[in-house]
């Protein structure tokens, strides 16, 4: 009954499987004619559009750098002129350089620029130089914390008043230099955000800059897996005035993922504009602790189900005796012998092992058809090899007339035919194997 | 068309002089696979088209920072997977009806779409796929349709090979069950 059900199940399963097999590689999707021929050009033109009016990336940076540098100059002129009265009137001194950022060639538009190039970009080393800024005061004060790295600010002209009080406080990081409209000077790529209070330079705006920073730094990392809670860090370097919204409803920049699942974070500016988001799948699985139990022994015709002692289906199981990757393996038709069974259970980066010894006995009975009980030590007794695996087996020996000459309800391979004559006898063995298998045959006794 | 190795393409892209040429080679080599990968996630052609373009825009923008510690292909796949999933998430968010699963939005796309037209059973398979958890659907697509190796999928999704095998196994089991019931 049970077997029949099993067969039904298997054939059902096979049916599903073969349906799936027959579908391999088939899908109902199609694309418009010559879609792929045009895709390439569409992408290229989209990239060109994304790049906007700027021609290439290098130029953008150059423009930005220059604009920023010029703004700083302007700012400090202003600071120098009106020190102590910075908060009043929100001056628009930086107007001119502000405009240059939107123009194709800001350098040509700048009055300070007539004699020499103000920004000289050496492509390879990313070295920018500000050279010969005439009649401008560049003051950098400690508390302004302007950082420039990999840049060189040089002052060639005697009229210039470049106050560079403290080297460490005047570093530009690489070359992404931007000024946003609330007077913050943001330097990307580097370590510092600097602020020039009270000066409205109106270059760029905070959302754009925040978006750039978010785009660049928001990274929850790869999907990952651990046996412990995982720290998810969405904090965005250099971006201020941003808000975090996690799938967990948290609003902090860092959360601790306690359980498996998909986590996402959205980053908004203060006006709730979505600046960016990232997603990560976290799998938290407790460490596997496999336990195969003690050593076991079986007969060679028996099957055995060996269980890992783990239930988690997310684990990956590797058995030394099977290709199965399941939590249990079913072994059958094993050759007699001793097997070391090893199991590795993997999850995330954890691997745990367990092992046991499985002895497979040769339980096939070998029943002799002749014995020679003459005391020479060979074939003296009726020894049924393999019988030791079936203790409690009954043995009857009859002579030709059918009378029982020997019987045992738990035969121990010890009958030496001491009470009988030479001749042919019959044996009947009732095997204690749970099925009461009966074996009958003849046994010839010879004494020589 | 001669096949360029990843190294060739990356070398061309590193040099500003040849970046565009390198990128065009990259496109011709990977555009179709990438499109189909995205299409299988998003089902709708127009969506897939948008996201394919976005993916390659991102590839272009980030080529300089590609470190080459995975293959170019798995890097592109990873970007396209993330873009697609983000898109689904956005779609979910913008939906006026509150929905539990993106699935319900995608099921709609399977019907009444003139670019989705196959045997009943093929569409059914897609429908069942939508019932799977997102991760399992991804793994199933990559393993079953795209016939990627577990190791490659592992690079793309950043999941252990063991976990992937388990996911795929679960997916296959569920799909087979569904197919059986029909």
């Amino acid at each position: 009954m049970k077997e029949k059900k099993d067969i039904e199940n298997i054939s059902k399963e096979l049916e599903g499987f073969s349906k799936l097999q027959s579908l391999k590689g088939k899908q109902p999707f199609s694309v418009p004619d010559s879609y792929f021929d045009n895709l390439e050009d569409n992408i290229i033109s989209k990239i060109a559009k994304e790049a906007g009016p700027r021609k290439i990336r290098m130029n953008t940076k150059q423009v930005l750098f220059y604009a920023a540098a010029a703004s700083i100059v302007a700012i400090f002129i202003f600071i120098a002129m009106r020190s102590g009265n910075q908060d009043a009137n929100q001056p628009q001194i930086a107007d001119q350089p502000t405009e240059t950022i939107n123009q194709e060639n800001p350098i040509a538009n700048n009055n300070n620029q007539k004699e020499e190039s103000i920004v000289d970009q050496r492509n390879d080393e990313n070295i920018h130089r500000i050279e010969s800024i005439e009649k401008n005061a560049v003051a950098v004060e400690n508390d302004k914390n302007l950082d420039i790295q990999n840049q060189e600010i040089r002052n060639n002209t005697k009229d210039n008043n470049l106050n560079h009080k403290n080297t460490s406080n005047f570093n530009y990081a690489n070359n992404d230099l931007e000024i946003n409209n609330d007077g913050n000077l943001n330097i990307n790529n580097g370590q510092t955000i600097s602020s020039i209070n009270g000066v409205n330079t109106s270059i760029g705006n905070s959302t754009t800059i925040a978006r750039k920073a978010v785009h660049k730094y928001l990274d929850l990392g790869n999907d990952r897996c651990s046996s412990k809670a995982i720290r998810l860090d969405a904090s965005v370097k250099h971006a201020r005035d941003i808000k975090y919204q996690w799938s967990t409803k948290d609003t902090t920049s860092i959360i601790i993922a306690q359980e498996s699942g998909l986590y996402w974070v959205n980053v908004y500016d203060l006006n709730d504009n979505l600046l960016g988001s990232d997603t990560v799948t976290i799998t938290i699985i407790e460490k596997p602790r496999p336990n195969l139990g003690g050593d076991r022994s079986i007969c060679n015709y028996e099957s055995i189900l060996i269980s890992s002692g783990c239930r988690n289906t997310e684990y990956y199981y590797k058995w030394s005796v099977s290709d199965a990757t399941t939590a249990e393996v079913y072994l059958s038709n094993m050759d007699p012998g001793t097997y070391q069974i090893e199991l590795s259970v993997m999850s995330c980066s954890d691997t745990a092992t367990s092992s046991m010894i499985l002895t497979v006995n040769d339980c096939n009975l070998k029943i002799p058809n002749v014995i020679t009980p003459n005391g020479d030590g060979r074939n003296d007794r009726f020894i049924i090899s393999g019988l030791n695996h079936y203790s409690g087996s009954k043995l009857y020996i009859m002579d030709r007339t059918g009378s029982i000459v020997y019987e045992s309800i738990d035969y121990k391979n010890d009958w030496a035919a001491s009470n009988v004559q030479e001749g042919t006898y019959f044996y009947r063995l009732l095997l204690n194997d749970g099925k009461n298998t009966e074996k009958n045959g003849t046994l010839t006794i010879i004494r020589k | 068309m001669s096949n360029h190795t990843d190294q060739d393409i990356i070398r061309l892209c590193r040099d500003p002089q040849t970046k565009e040429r390198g990128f065009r080679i990259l496109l011709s080599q990977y555009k179709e696979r990438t499109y189909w990968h995205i299409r299988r996630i998003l089902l709708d052609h127009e969506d897939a088209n948008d996201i394919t373009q976005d993916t390659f825009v991102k590839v272009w923008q980030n080529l300089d920072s590609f470190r080459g510690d995975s293959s170019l292909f798995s890097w592109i796949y990873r970007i396209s997977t993330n873009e697609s999933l983000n898109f689904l998430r956005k779609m979910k968010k913008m939906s006026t009806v509150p929905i539990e699963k993106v699935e319900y939005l995608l099921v709609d796309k399977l019907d009444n779409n003139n670019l989705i037209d196959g045997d009943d059973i093929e569409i059914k398979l897609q429908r069942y796929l939508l019932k799977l958890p997102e991760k399992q659907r991804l793994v199933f697509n990559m393993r079953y349709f795209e016939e990627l190796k577990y190791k490659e999928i592992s690079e793309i999704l950043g999941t252990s090979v063991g976990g992937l095998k388990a996911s795929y196994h679960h997916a296959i089991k569920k799909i087979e069950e569904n197919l059986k019931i029909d």
Side-chain angles (χ1 to χ4, degrees), chain B residues 13-42:
Chain B
C13 290
R14 286 271 150 82
D15 183 349
Q17 298 286 316
T18 55
K19 183 169 177 183
E20 189 166 336
R21 190 153 58 90
F23 187 68
R24 276 189 183 272
I25 295 171
L26 177 149
L27 276 179
S28 65
Q29 214 133 299
Y30 291 112
K31 62 181 177 186
E32 288 204 33
R33 289 177 79 178
T34 308
Y35 168 82
W36 284 117
H37 176 65
I38 295 170
R39 177 78 185 271
R40 275 187 208 99
I41 301 174
L42 301 181

Side-chain angles (χ1 to χ4, degrees), chain A residues 11 58 66 121 187 240 255 267 334 417:
Chain A
S11 67
M58 276 304 194
Y66 165 68
Q121 178 164 357
I187 298 161
R240 301 205 251 168
I255 63 164
V267 178
M334 307 272 288

Side-chain angles (χ1 to χ4, degrees), chain A residues 20 35 46 222-223 266 279, chain B residues 49 54 78 89 93 144 158:
Chain A
L20 195 50
Y35 166 68
K46 188 161 184 180
N222 297 337
D223 289 353
N266 287 336
T279 313
Chain B
N49 178 35
D54 289 351
R78 185 191 278 262
R89 228 146 275 139
K93 212 183 265 174
Y144 179 83

Side-chain angles (χ1 to χ4, degrees), chain A residues 147-170:
Chain A
D147 278 9
I148 302 181
Q149 278 168 16
N150 295 342
Q151 319 281 349
E152 206 177 297
I153 300 231
R154 206 191 274 167
N155 179 6
N156 286 340
T157 319
K158 57 180 187 303
D159 288 347
N160 286 353
N161 181 11
L162 178 69
N163 287 333
H164 188 180
K165 286 188 179 167
N166 184 331
T167 325
S168 66
N169 280 346
F170 206 110

Side-chain angles (χ1 to χ4, degrees), chain A residues 198-332:
Chain A
V199 177
N200 190 348
T201 58
S202 45
I203 295 181
N205 68 57
S206 57
T207 301
T208 320
I209 286 160
R211 180 172 285 124
K212 277 188 182 172
V214 167
H215 177 76
K216 203 161 183 175
Y217 294 109
L218 178 62
D219 183 13
L220 296 180
N222 297 337
D223 289 353
R224 55 198 180 273
C225 169
S226 166
S227 56
K228 289 176 293 213
I230 292 177
R231 181 176 185 269
L232 296 177
D233 184 351
S235 45
V236 178
K237 277 194 228 165
H238 311 320
R240 301 205 251 168
D241 299 338
I242 55 175
K243 297 191 292 190
Y244 300 90
Q245 182 67 54
W246 290 85
S247 47
T248 54
K249 308 269 190 287
D250 289 305
T251 53
T252 47
S253 61
I254 295 170
I255 63 164
I256 305 292
Q258 303 275 10
E259 49 196 67
S260 303
L262 184 79
Y263 290 82
W264 48 258
V265 62
N266 287 336
V267 178
Y268 301 91
D269 67 11
L270 295 181
N271 300 321
D272 290 328
N273 295 314
L274 182 64
L275 302 175
S277 67
D278 197 16
T279 313
V280 67
T281 302
I282 294 298
T283 314
I284 302 213
I285 311 182
E286 64 173 318
K287 273 191 185 156
R289 299 184 205 288
N291 179 13
L292 293 177
D295 298 347
R296 291 166 75 179
S297 72
I298 56 164
C299 278
N300 54 336
Y301 63 82
E302 284 179 320
S303 340
I304 184 171
L305 184 70
I306 299 180
S307 169
S308 61
C310 306
R311 288 231 181 78
N312 203 324
T313 48
E314 296 278 313
Y315 291 159
Y316 177 63
Y317 300 87
K318 190 168 186 290
W319 296 86
S320 62
V321 284
S322 166
D323 291 333
T325 54
T326 44
E328 297 177 328
V329 286
Y330 188 72
L331 301 175
S332 58

Side-chain angles (χ1 to χ4, degrees), chain A residues 34-200:
Chain A
S34 66
Y35 166 68
F36 286 113
D37 300 338
N38 302 326
L39 179 57
E40 225 167 285
D41 290 331
N42 290 340
I43 291 169
I44 299 272
S45 67
K46 188 161 184 180
I47 287 172
K49 224 181 271 168
E50 294 263 320
R54 319 152 193 159
K55 272 176 187 156
I56 52 171
R57 260 176 103 73
M58 276 304 194
N59 273 350
T60 312
K61 285 177 183 170
Q62 198 169 328
V63 168
L64 280 173
F65 175 78
Y66 165 68
S71 311
I72 295 165
V73 168
I75 289 158
F76 288 118
I77 295 172
F78 170 72
I79 292 170
M81 280 163 33
R82 300 182 57 177
S83 57
N85 192 20
Q86 288 173 354
D87 288 333
N89 289 334
Q90 290 289 312
Q92 298 292 321
I93 285 187
D95 269 353
Q96 192 190 337
T98 305
E99 280 174 351
T100 64
I101 195 166
N102 297 324
Q103 290 165 0
E104 288 283 334
N105 188 354
I107 292 171
N109 283 338
N110 193 288
N111 293 334
N112 290 338
Q113 255 324 282
K114 276 169 189 160
E115 285 128 30
E116 283 182 61
S117 153
I118 216 171
V119 176
D120 173 21
Q121 178 164 357
R122 309 282 153 86
N123 283 341
D124 293 337
E125 295 97 347
N126 273 338
I127 289 178
H128 303 266
R129 288 182 184 173
I130 300 179
E131 291 180 78
S132 87
I133 305 169
E134 283 196 293
K135 292 178 180 123
N136 282 332
V138 178
V140 180
E141 292 171 24
N142 280 340
D143 58 348
K144 300 291 185 238
N145 274 335
L146 269 174
D147 278 9
I148 302 181
Q149 278 168 16
N150 295 342
Q151 319 281 349
E152 206 177 297
I153 300 231
R154 206 191 274 167
N155 179 6
N156 286 340
T157 319
K158 57 180 187 303
D159 288 347
N160 286 353
N161 181 11
L162 178 69
N163 287 333
H164 188 180
K165 286 188 179 167
N166 184 331
T167 325
S168 66
N169 280 346
F170 206 110
N171 291 321
Y172 282 10
N174 295 332
N175 42 29
D176 275 354
L177 181 66
E178 298 162 82
I179 296 185
N180 66 26
N181 62 1
D182 36 60
N184 292 334
L185 173 63
N186 285 1
I187 298 161
N188 298 330
N189 278 347
Q191 306 300 321
T192 312
I193 301 175
S194 307
S195 161
I196 302 154
N197 287 333
V199 177
N200 190 348

